[in-house]
Amino acid sequence: MARYTGPKTKISRIFGEPILGNGKWLGKNSNPPGQHGAARKRKSLGEYALQLREKQKAKYTYGVLERQFRKTFEEASRIKGVTGENLIKLLEARLDNTVFRMGLTASRPEARQLVNHKHITVNGEVMNVPSYQCKPGDIIAYRPKSADNSSIISKTRGKNPKFSWIDWNESEKKGTFITYPERENVPENIKEQLIVELYSK
């Protein structure tokens, strides 16, 4: 299954923020990557470059490659409402992202691996497709055998209470995708309107 496997710290340094969870490395070196990164001044970017940058940031943040990202955008444009906000809602509703938001893993790549390795069920059925679109009311849980695996359970960090669109019951080891999130409740620093403008060209 296609995914980005390159250097993660380098990506965070390109954007100047820990979009892949590498904040500790940015504290040591926040310069752009490359031999002359420290000496190179950050240029003021043009309109197209800014739009492309936001698309790349969204893709790396949610672990989606170009083809799948475009398909998600096309679906967002067909849904009633603001296209940019719909895009963020669909990205947030991905199963791997939902598992991450529920606090079952420390990162989205770990959540993707958990899903790929068939440790997660949706409505009682094993689901190993990270891009599966969760729907309001879907029950996400550990597979029974996985719920007894200490190495898997030890990675659970607990759900952040500010993510009100999902619920997680620690004692039952299952949660619910309650509804699609409102844009103001999603903490990711993405200017989705620039992505809409890019694809509208």
Side-chain angles (χ1 to χ4, degrees), residues 109-146:
E110 281 186 9
R112 184 188 183 97
Q113 186 179 53
L114 205 64
V115 174
N116 276 333
H117 290 184
K118 301 183 179 180
H119 294 299
I120 299 296
T121 65
V122 178
N123 299 325
E125 299 290 331
V126 173
M127 177 60 68
N128 66 337
V129 181
S131 62
Y132 170 81
Q133 280 289 311
C134 294
K135 302 171 186 63
D138 278 354
I139 305 296
I140 290 90
Y142 285 115
R143 194 178 64 170
K145 185 182 287 188
S146 302

Side-chain angles (χ1 to χ4, degrees), residues 79-155:
I79 301 173
K80 184 178 179 180
V82 181
T83 300
E85 293 182 6
N86 289 340
L87 175 63
I88 298 299
K89 288 179 180 180
L90 291 176
L91 291 171
E92 282 290 325
R94 285 172 55 94
L95 179 58
D96 54 357
N97 183 76
T98 300
V99 168
F100 166 66
R101 292 293 192 206
M102 285 182 171
L104 308 191
T105 61
S107 67
R108 289 185 180 89
E110 281 186 9
R112 184 188 183 97
Q113 186 179 53
L114 205 64
V115 174
N116 276 333
H117 290 184
K118 301 183 179 180
H119 294 299
I120 299 296
T121 65
V122 178
N123 299 325
E125 299 290 331
V126 173
M127 177 60 68
N128 66 337
V129 181
S131 62
Y132 170 81
Q133 280 289 311
C134 294
K135 302 171 186 63
D138 278 354
I139 305 296
I140 290 90
Y142 285 115
R143 194 178 64 170
K145 185 182 287 188
S146 302
D148 296 327
N149 189 321
S150 59
S151 64
I152 293 174
I153 300 301
S154 64
K155 295 181 179 179

Side-chain angles (χ1 to χ4, degrees), residues 35-69:
Q35 182 179 358
H36 305 291
R40 192 170 65 223
K41 294 181 180 178
R42 291 188 184 272
K43 300 177 182 178
S44 57
L45 301 176
E47 180 185 13
Y48 177 78
L50 286 172
Q51 294 166 350
L52 183 62
R53 184 187 180 92
E54 287 305 309
K55 185 193 72 168
Q56 298 292 74
K57 185 193 294 186
K59 284 169 52 181
Y60 285 122
T61 298
Y62 289 98
V64 182
L65 296 185
E66 179 60 37
R67 188 173 179 181
Q68 196 170 44
F69 189 84

